């Protein structure tokens, strides 16, 4: 299963639907897909929340399942892709896409589901590191 998840995270998240289907077929042909999406045993229910066949780290807030969020097939797949990246705990996650494509809603849903605080930061083409960390500006005396 780990090999399958690694292949999916590395290759599938950037592909369109037709290419994803083709790569999944190659993975299946190579017998690298998991036999089941059975959920592994929960490591600690106080520290993890279930989403599909993943245990996601739980935050400090009470987890909340937002019933107003409609889980279509596409949204569920996008949530699984993000969950896969979260579970790896090795890489930051950058969601890229056009305005109003659901990126913020996706992350907000997962934050509520896992009990994490959600903070929205709007980036744009001129966003740089100083907007996050601040900058040093000397006064008239150079201090």
């Amino acid at each position: 299963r780990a090999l399958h998840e690694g292949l999916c995270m590395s290759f599938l998240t950037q592909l369109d639907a037709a290419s994803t289907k083709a790569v999944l077929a190659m993975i299946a042909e190579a017998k690298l897909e998991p036999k089941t999406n059975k959920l592994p045993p929960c490591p600690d229910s106080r520290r993890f929340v279930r989403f599909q066949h993943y245990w996601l780290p739980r935050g400090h807030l009470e987890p909340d399942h937002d019933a107003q969020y409609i889980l279509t097939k596409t949204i569920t797949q996008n949530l699984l892709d993000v969950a896969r990246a979260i579970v790896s705990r090795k890489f930051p996650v950058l969601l890229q896409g056009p305005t109003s494509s659901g990126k913020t809603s996706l992350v907000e849903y997962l934050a509520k589901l896992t009990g994490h605080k959600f903070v929205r930061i709007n980036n744009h083409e001129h966003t740089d590191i100083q907007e996050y960390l601040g900058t040093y500006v000397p006064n008239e005396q150079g201090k």
Side-chain angles (χ1 to χ4, degrees), residues 69-89:
Y69 195 76
I70 300 170
L71 295 174
T72 64
K73 184 178 177 182
T74 303
I75 289 172
T76 300
Q77 186 56 56
N78 289 339
L79 285 166
L80 286 169
D81 289 341
V82 174
R84 183 180 292 120
I86 292 170
V87 168
S88 77
R89 294 183 172 198

Side-chain angles (χ1 to χ4, degrees), residues 128-142:
D128 64 11
I129 194 71
Q130 290 178 341
E131 291 190 46
Y132 298 112
L133 302 178
T135 184
Y136 175 76
V137 180
N139 64 12
E140 295 167 354
Q141 289 82 29

Side-chain angles (χ1 to χ4, degrees), residues 8-123:
C8 290
M9 187 166 65
S10 299
F11 298 108
L12 297 183
T13 57
Q14 297 293 321
L15 300 177
D16 62 13
S19 299
T20 297
K21 189 174 181 178
V23 172
L24 284 172
M26 286 187 273
I27 290 171
E29 185 179 322
K31 308 267 191 252
L32 296 175
E33 63 184 351
K35 304 255 186 281
T36 179
N37 278 334
K38 183 180 173 189
L39 186 68
C42 180
D44 180 355
S45 61
R46 294 168 302 194
R47 294 180 40 228
F48 294 91
V49 175
R50 178 183 178 178
F51 175 71
Q52 300 275 333
H53 51 277
Y54 292 106
W55 289 108
L56 300 176
R58 183 176 174 168
H60 297 293
L61 304 173
E62 187 64 30
D64 177 27
H65 175 71
D66 187 356
Q68 293 181 346
Y69 195 76
I70 300 170
L71 295 174
T72 64
K73 184 178 177 182
T74 303
I75 289 172
T76 300
Q77 186 56 56
N78 289 339
L79 285 166
L80 286 169
D81 289 341
V82 174
R84 183 180 292 120
I86 292 170
V87 168
S88 77
R89 294 183 172 198
K90 293 184 180 182
F91 308 105
V93 179
L94 174 65
L95 300 180
Q96 204 172 357
T99 302
S100 297
S101 62
K103 300 176 299 291
T104 301
S105 298
L106 196 81
V107 174
E108 186 175 20
Y109 175 80
L110 281 175
K112 285 181 182 179
L113 183 72
T114 59
H116 285 88
K117 182 178 178 181
F118 174 74
V119 177
R120 179 181 174 167
I121 300 171
N122 288 325
N123 292 316

